[in-house]
Amino acid sequence: MIRNEEIEKIIDEDQQGSALALEKNDSNSRKLYIESYGCQMNFSDSEIVASILAKEGFNTTQDLAEADLVLVNTCSIREKAEQTVRKRLEKFNAVKRTNPGMKVGVLGCMAERLKSKFLEEEKIVDMVVGPDAYKDLPNLIQEIDEGRNAVNVILSKDETYGDVAPVRLNSNGVTAFVSITRGCDNMCTFCVVPFTRGRERSRDPQSILEEVNDLWERGFKEITLLGQNVDSYLWYGGGLKKDYEKASEMQKATSVNFAKLLEMVALAQPKLRIRFSTSNPQDMTLDVIEAMAKYKNICKYIHLPVQSGSDRVLKAMNRLHTRAEYFELIDNIKGIIPDCAISQDMIAGFPTETEEDHQDTLSLMEYVKYDFGFMFAYSERPGTLAARKLEDDIPEATKKRRLQEIIAIQQKHSLYRTEQHVGKVEEVLIEGASKKSDAHWMGRNSQNTVVVFPKENYKVGEFVNVKINDCTSATLLGEAVGMSENN
Ligand code: SF4
């Protein structure tokens, strides 16, 4: 962790604004502006990048016009995500006219997917850096400072950035991400991640615990353990997950899987709230659910993408579980943790999807009645197995109609789930002011549902018991009835 007298934390008196805590090193003279798109993993990576560059003389700035270096951490999950980045880069042309010394770099999955082609396609870009090459940034910046373009998109077999202490960006000072694995070995046919983030490798549990303990000491009250596929976490001394079978008996005997890691973190800081994301149904095991039930500070919420309710489509997606096996997992979760909230990812209009397949998706949603979800129409990603083997044959109008039906059912179920909280007293961690009213705090309950209530004398970072009086499909509305004993 960057900790010395020179570092001065400037905390905005009113803990509600946007960028709250920026760690500054007064001897740093260069200005870094970093913008992140996509998943939580990308936002967490941007904090790693800010840390690496803080040691190279960069402080972060929220002011684009004064930036010496502009970095865009890109997402490639859907075509739309890439178009958003291209539009943003266009905007930088105008800024560059008034700030000609400004250098522009692209990071993340789109950088990894396009590699040096990015330089040809977007003339404003000086540097292209893949998700595993951030430690090479000091060298790459030297190259662009000397007027050359710079590219490093090498994927790593062991990089986890476990030895880099993230600089918290746009932090509310209460919740933080802690990445535990990188890459993904599941080759879902629609997904670009295995090509842009490489093979799975897990981070040393000791470095995870160090980061968790440091966050607690710094006043953070909730962490989210992050990975493309956290259930697949497996530490056996370093290296790729796929090489585990070659490990020694001793390494296997002392290995740490996800359930064990959850237990270690829960015991290390019993008052710190723990969340995790993202799970994959084919890798989630009973011991993870039992660990969640055993420790009060592990939140009762699971993000469990399913993508389709049809066995035929799940097979075409290379999702290694069936509809029945998914139901069995849901039944186990609800059996062991009855009040556990579950959210989903769903794709409408995957190649060859029939009306019957779509109905299977709707009936799966009826069975689970998810708390909320992230639902998208299929977007063909270059280089994926689906793009190479399957024609994107579902008409846009059909994709759109099916997506609307999925969203409509989800909204009905979201309301059904929030209504179940009305009349109950819920423990809420205050994260900040409500977007809609400055007289109200917003926070989340253990189920990750947003709760809004009048501020009274309570403060950000406190655990408060809130009586839920009303709800919408996304938010619980209530009044504080006292401090939680968890403070
Ligand atoms: S589990 Fe599948 S969808 Fe998720 S990151 Fe891995 S390949 Fe992509």
Side-chain angles (χ1 to χ4, degrees), residues 77 183-195 197 200 227-229 278-283 305 307 317-319 345 347:
I77 203 76
C184 187
D185 288 352
N186 296 329
M187 297 301 283
C188 303
T189 58
F190 54 83
C191 186
V192 78
V193 170
F195 305 95
R197 285 187 169 270
E200 240 168 69
Q228 311 296 151
N229 180 12
T278 295
S279 287
N280 186 310
Q282 68 211 51
D283 297 308
Q307 311 297 1
M317 288 176 166
N318 192 31
R319 302 285 282 183
D345 285 357
I347 294 175

Side-chain angles (χ1 to χ4, degrees), residues 9-22:
K9 247 188 194 170
I10 302 175
I11 298 186
D12 179 308
E13 286 313 312
D14 167 281
Q15 297 231 350
Q16 298 321 310
S18 58
L20 293 177
L22 296 174

